[in-house]
Amino acid sequence: AVVSTQSTADFVCWVPFTVVCSFHYLEVLDATPLYPLFSIVILPINSVINPLIYNKTLKNRLITVCVFLKQQFAKAPNFFVWLKGIRVADGTPDQVQENIEMRELQVINNI
């Protein structure tokens, strides 16, 4: 997986530069204003990505975030049932607030 990710990052960063340089060499376009963009922004992205690809810390943090989100979404059905039961447009603002508070208590008591 690391090799394919590295290859993709290299491809995405270097192929546009190579194409622009080829067009400039063939005098299809004047790429002079594009060289600073590539040298300051595009190509350094590849250098920034490389340590992230090989670093296990980033992978572990992404796994932790995914596990956390999975746990939160496992609790989500109660929230969606509660949300579906709220009809904000019904009644006066005081009645709506009372309805929301009542639904919150129902969810808290059911958990």
Side-chain angles (χ1 to χ4, degrees):
V2 173
V3 173
S4 63
T5 306
Q6 177 65 40
S7 299
T8 303
D10 287 345
F11 183 82
V12 168
C13 289
W14 282 100
V15 168
F17 180 71
T18 306
V19 169
V20 167
C21 288
S22 299
F23 285 160
H24 183 80
Y25 177 76
L26 297 171
E27 297 179 358
V28 174
L29 65 89
D30 181 20
T32 306
L34 296 176
Y35 287 129
L37 172 71
F38 277 101
S39 63
I40 295 171
V41 178
I42 306 295
L43 295 179
I45 290 174
N46 190 32
S47 299
V48 170
I49 289 173
N50 284 339
L52 298 176
I53 291 172
Y54 293 106
N55 190 350
K56 300 271 187 211
T57 304
L58 180 66
K59 180 180 176 184
N60 292 340
R61 287 188 183 178
L62 287 174
I63 290 171
T64 303
V65 168
C66 289
V67 168
F68 174 76
L69 291 174
K70 185 176 179 182
Q71 291 171 348
Q72 296 306 311
F73 283 119
K75 298 175 185 177
N78 290 335
F79 173 74
F80 290 119
V81 168
W82 170 76
L83 189 61
K84 186 178 178 183
I86 295 177
R87 300 197 187 280
V88 176
D90 293 347
T92 66
D94 291 334
Q95 291 171 333
V96 170
Q97 183 61 35
E98 186 177 317
N99 187 17
I100 291 172
E101 291 170 0
M102 201 164 38
R103 295 289 181 182
E104 288 174 345
L105 288 174
Q106 288 174 350
V107 170
I108 290 170
N109 292 332
N110 288 333
I111 295 177

